[in-house]
């Protein structure tokens, strides 16, 4: 849907609107489905212990929505120069959390936190890149109008 919008500022606003519309639905569905699956397959593990990890893993879905929304915006505007550093952000966040958790003996907790923080950091990074691109594009358009250059 984003690629059909011609103005980047409008495209960015639509990206944020879509994300805000999807967030409540995603949160509700994520918790309902994961709770049902947890009840079915928790096995011998104590259900109360499993319920502690459930919000941590579900937070990953919310962070992933931020990440994917702004990655889609940058992809639809063909701004791949911003996308190449997303993997580096992920490595710099996820690996230290996983290694630190391993050496501290925290079990599965670092993996739940690592994935969530990874997507959150990359989502914030892509959001800032999207804002920067829209702001720079708006400045370029104003300069072209002053010079009498037609961008369309």
């Amino acid at each position: 849907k984003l690629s059909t919008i011609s103005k980047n500022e409008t495209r960015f606003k639509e990206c944020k609107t879509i994300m805000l519309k999807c967030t409540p639905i995603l949160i509700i569905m994520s918790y309902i489905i994961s709770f049902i699956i947890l009840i079915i397959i928790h096995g011998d593990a104590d259900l109360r212990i499993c319920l502690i990890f459930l919000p941590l893993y579900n937070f990953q879905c919310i962070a992933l929505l931020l990440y994917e929304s702004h990655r889609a915006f940058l992809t639809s505007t063909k701004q791949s120069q911003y996308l190449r550093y997303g993997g580096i952000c992920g490595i710099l966040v996820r690996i230290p959390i996983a290694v630190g958790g391993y050496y501290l003996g925290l079990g599965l907790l670092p993996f739940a936190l690592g994935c969530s923080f990874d997507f959150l950091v990359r989502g914030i990074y892509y959001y800032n890149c999207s804002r920067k691109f829209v702001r720079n594009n708006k400045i370029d358009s104003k300069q072209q109008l002053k010079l009498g250059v037609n961008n369309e």
Side-chain angles (χ1 to χ4, degrees):
K1 184 176 181 177
L2 291 177
S3 60
T4 61
I5 301 170
S6 61
K7 290 184 73 178
N8 288 323
E9 189 174 0
T10 308
R11 190 180 292 182
F12 183 64
K13 288 178 183 174
E14 182 66 19
C15 173
K16 291 195 301 187
T17 302
I18 291 169
M19 190 179 77
L20 291 175
K21 284 180 185 176
C22 293
T23 301
I25 296 167
L26 176 74
I27 292 170
I28 292 167
M29 287 180 56
S30 175
Y31 276 94
I32 290 172
I33 291 170
S34 60
F35 187 73
I36 290 170
I37 290 172
L38 180 66
I39 290 172
I40 294 171
I41 64 168
H42 75 86
D44 292 338
D46 185 14
L47 189 59
R48 290 174 291 180
I49 300 287
C50 295
L51 288 173
I52 293 171
F53 288 98
L54 193 65
L56 294 174
Y57 279 103
N58 281 333
F59 178 71
Q60 180 179 343
C61 295
I62 299 164
L64 185 63
L65 179 65
L66 175 69
Y67 161 75
E68 287 293 343
S69 297
H70 292 289
R71 190 174 70 96
F73 170 77
L74 292 169
T75 302
S76 72
T77 56
K78 299 177 176 68
Q79 299 303 308
S80 61
Q81 72 269 19
Y82 297 116
L83 298 175
R84 71 180 95 160
Y85 299 111
I88 294 171
C89 290
I91 290 169
L92 293 174
V93 170
R94 197 181 291 203
I95 291 177
I97 291 174
V99 171
Y102 174 77
Y103 284 111
L104 293 173
L106 298 175
L108 292 176
L109 184 64
F111 292 104
L113 293 174
C115 292
S116 298
F117 284 125
D118 171 18
F119 289 128
L120 183 65
V121 167
R122 285 199 273 176
I124 292 169
Y125 168 70
Y126 286 152
Y127 173 74
N128 287 329
C129 290
S130 299
R131 284 185 41 211
K132 178 182 174 185
F133 170 71
V134 169
R135 187 175 50 247
N136 289 345
N137 197 331
K138 192 187 299 187
I139 292 169
D140 289 344
S141 297
K142 286 180 182 178
Q143 288 174 349
Q144 288 177 354
L145 285 173
K146 284 181 183 178
L147 296 172
V149 177
N150 190 359
N151 192 20
E152 304 282 329

